Amino acid sequence: MRHTSVGIVGGGPAGLLLARLLHRAGVDCEVWESRERGYVEARQRAGILEQSTVDVLRESGAGRRLDREGLVHDGVELRWSGRGHRVDFPALTGGRRVWVYAQTEVVKDLIALQLQDGPPLHFGTRVRAVSGVETDRPAVHLVRGAQEETVTCDYLVGCDGFHGVTRQALPPGALTTYAREYPYAWLGVLADVAPSQEELVYAHSPRGFALLSMRSPTVSRLYLQVPPGTDPADWPDGRIWDELDARVAVDGGRLLERGPLTAKSVLPMRSFVTEPMRHGRVFLAGDAAHIVPPTGAKGLNLAVADVVVLARALAHRQQTGSAELLDAYSDTCLRRVWRAEHFSYSMTSTLHADPEQDPFTTRLQTARLDRIAASPHAEAEFAAQYTGAPIG
Ligand code: PHB
């Protein structure tokens, strides 16, 4: 039986960045990812990095390609009732901005670094079971092809997402969960065409929400609100472009530049929080502990904040013997998590048109958007939340 100080379940951005930060702090660790490398590197996720996420990636040595290829954005545009309003981030937040750089690219950069000089990273290695969660030696039982192995740890961290095994291995009653499902989903597409606008556009329309984003100067990333359970096959390219044009239209505006769609998928929307984010020596980070709907682009940024706090706490424990920061981990993270849950929920419910929605609700939504456009305080609050707070 092998032993490692910190066992990390899941090789997505949370697990990989945690391994990177621990490695730099001299804490021994190991990562197990059930999928193969090619799969992990192809997974399409969101693409907005907060200022503090970029700072962390740079400090951890994973910022080189991000600095070359990432697109710095100083604002977003909100559209509703046939008009648009740009929110200027640096002017309203004392210089904070966001970066457009896909999560898949962050993952590729972290994998390359870890394989080059980092702690062990095992792909295609599934955690069949977790045991000893009530002891000070939790263990994972691993399967890779026909091989089986058990590894014990001082600390085990579940970075294995919403459906991961780690949270499910904790005793019933150890955690309280809070959840909200939404009566809509997003259809996300990639298009081989230069973005028609320089910044992101979030559009409220009676036909439903639409988002114009991008991946590079030549690739657009576009989203439409659709009913949950929508089959992307029901959305041929022409229908998608027509619907985007109808939803983002502003008075006197131009139609979108069209191009071939290279990927289509439907994303569920949910809010979910686990409290606490720890049980004994088992910690949860990122999507394993909380989910936000994608409207606020907070998912990846929350995962980064979690693992920064956790890496500091684990390093502090190794250096001083004190578990003080580990004991504060859950509360520290949950403060930020609930702020982001609130922001994501309120952006989602302001911008989406519920199929059953009454006209009163629609007027509340437009009143909220009108307020952001009319009040410097409301606008600054939106900008502060979108760009995110420094990691405490
Ligand atoms: C994306 O580019 O994938 C993206 C951007 C902003 C969001 C969500 C997704 O709020």
Side-chain angles (χ1 to χ4, degrees):
M1 217 180 341
R2 286 191 307 114
H3 182 81
T4 182
S5 293
V6 181
I8 301 174
V9 185
L16 293 165
L17 183 61
L18 177 61
R20 183 88 206 139
L21 297 171
L22 291 176
H23 179 63
R24 288 171 74 91
V27 179
D28 162 53
C29 65
E30 192 164 325
V31 179
W32 307 290
E33 165 59 47
S34 62
R35 304 285 191 163
E36 296 301 338
R37 180 178 180 182
Y39 179 94
V40 173
E41 292 191 340
R43 242 179 332 211
Q44 280 302 327
R45 292 289 152 90
I48 296 290
L49 308 185
E50 291 176 3
Q51 177 84 56
S52 53
T53 295
V54 169
D55 295 343
V56 170
L57 291 171
R58 283 177 176 157
E59 280 159 29
S60 68
R64 281 238 208 97
R65 198 159 65 92
L66 162 64
D67 278 326
R68 264 198 330 270
E69 297 174 19
L71 309 171
V72 182
H73 280 213
D74 283 351
V76 294
E77 187 182 332
L78 301 172
R79 288 190 190 170
W80 72 102
S81 308
R83 62 183 284 218
H85 176 81
R86 177 175 188 262
V87 179
D88 182 329
F89 295 148
L92 291 159
T93 62
R96 299 180 79 76
R97 28 177 64 93
V98 297
W99 274 251
V100 173
Y101 188 68
Q103 175 172 323
T104 4
E105 305 306 318
V106 173
V107 164
K108 283 184 205 162
D109 296 344
L110 289 169
I111 289 175
L113 277 174
Q114 185 158 345
L115 293 179
Q116 181 190 307
D117 73 348
L121 166 58
H122 305 281
F123 289 104
T125 303
R126 188 169 62 82
V127 173
R128 179 175 56 72
V130 176
S131 63
V133 300
E134 305 284 5
T135 72
D136 55 13
R137 284 256 151 148
V140 287
H141 307 278
L142 303 168
V143 188
R144 183 190 168 81
Q147 282 166 285
E148 300 220 2
E149 187 186 20
T150 295
V151 182
T152 57
C153 326
D154 297 323
Y155 296 96
L156 181 66
V157 187
C159 296
D160 47 350
F162 181 64
H163 298 287
V165 298
T166 313
R167 189 180 70 246
Q168 287 162 26
L170 299 178
L175 306 176
T176 304
T177 59
Y178 302 85
R180 169 74 38 109
E181 303 272 336
Y182 298 87
Y184 25 76
W186 280 12
L187 172 65
V189 303
L190 279 172
D192 261 341
V193 63
S196 293
Q197 70 304 321
E198 280 176 14
E199 294 177 336
L200 270 61
V201 172
Y202 288 87
H204 172 280
S205 135
R207 307 176 67 96
F209 169 74
L211 168 59
L212 308 180
S213 181
M214 62 195 73
R215 284 292 173 268
S216 74
T218 56
V219 176
S220 299
R221 175 75 171 154
L222 309 157
Y223 296 97
L224 285 172
Q225 174 191 339
V226 291
T230 291
D231 180 355
D234 292 338
W235 285 83
D237 294 14
R239 182 178 179 204
I240 291 176
W241 288 113
D242 290 348
E243 193 60 31
L244 285 165
D245 273 329
R247 294 189 190 184
V248 304
V250 282
D251 297 340
R254 286 188 302 151
L255 296 181
L256 297 172
E257 211 55 61
R258 299 189 176 193
L261 301 184
T262 55
K264 286 181 199 170
S265 59
V266 171
L267 293 65
M269 311 261 292
R270 66 163 65 87
S271 301
F272 172 85
V273 181
T274 307
E275 290 190 0
M277 290 168 56
R278 165 209 193 157
H279 180 74
R281 286 176 171 250
V282 180
F283 291 79
L284 301 173
D287 284 4
H290 41 73
I291 297 284
V292 283
T295 325
K298 291 286 171 228
L300 171 60
N301 297 293
L302 281 180
V304 167
D306 288 351
V307 300
V308 166
V309 173
L310 186 53
R312 267 186 216 147
L314 288 164
H316 184 72
R317 164 80 198 186
Q318 174 163 305
Q319 283 150 16
T320 67
S322 160
E324 192 190 343
L325 296 184
L326 283 174
D327 292 341
Y329 168 74
S330 180
D331 286 345
T332 305
C333 291
L334 284 168
R335 274 192 292 278
R336 186 186 192 88
V337 167
W338 277 111
R339 268 206 311 270
E341 289 288 346
H342 179 260
F343 177 66
S344 306
Y345 168 83
S346 87
M347 244 187 117
T348 300
S349 39
T350 299
L351 290 167
H352 290 70
D354 188 312
E356 320 267 275
Q357 180 165 310
D358 61 10
F360 184 82
T361 305
T362 307
R363 295 297 289 119
L364 290 181
Q365 292 176 323
T366 54
R368 165 95 185 106
L369 292 162
D370 289 343
R371 175 73 182 162
I372 292 173
S375 155
H377 296 289
E379 193 185 23
E381 171 65 5
F382 174 84
Q385 301 222 58
Y386 193 94
T387 53
I391 300 168

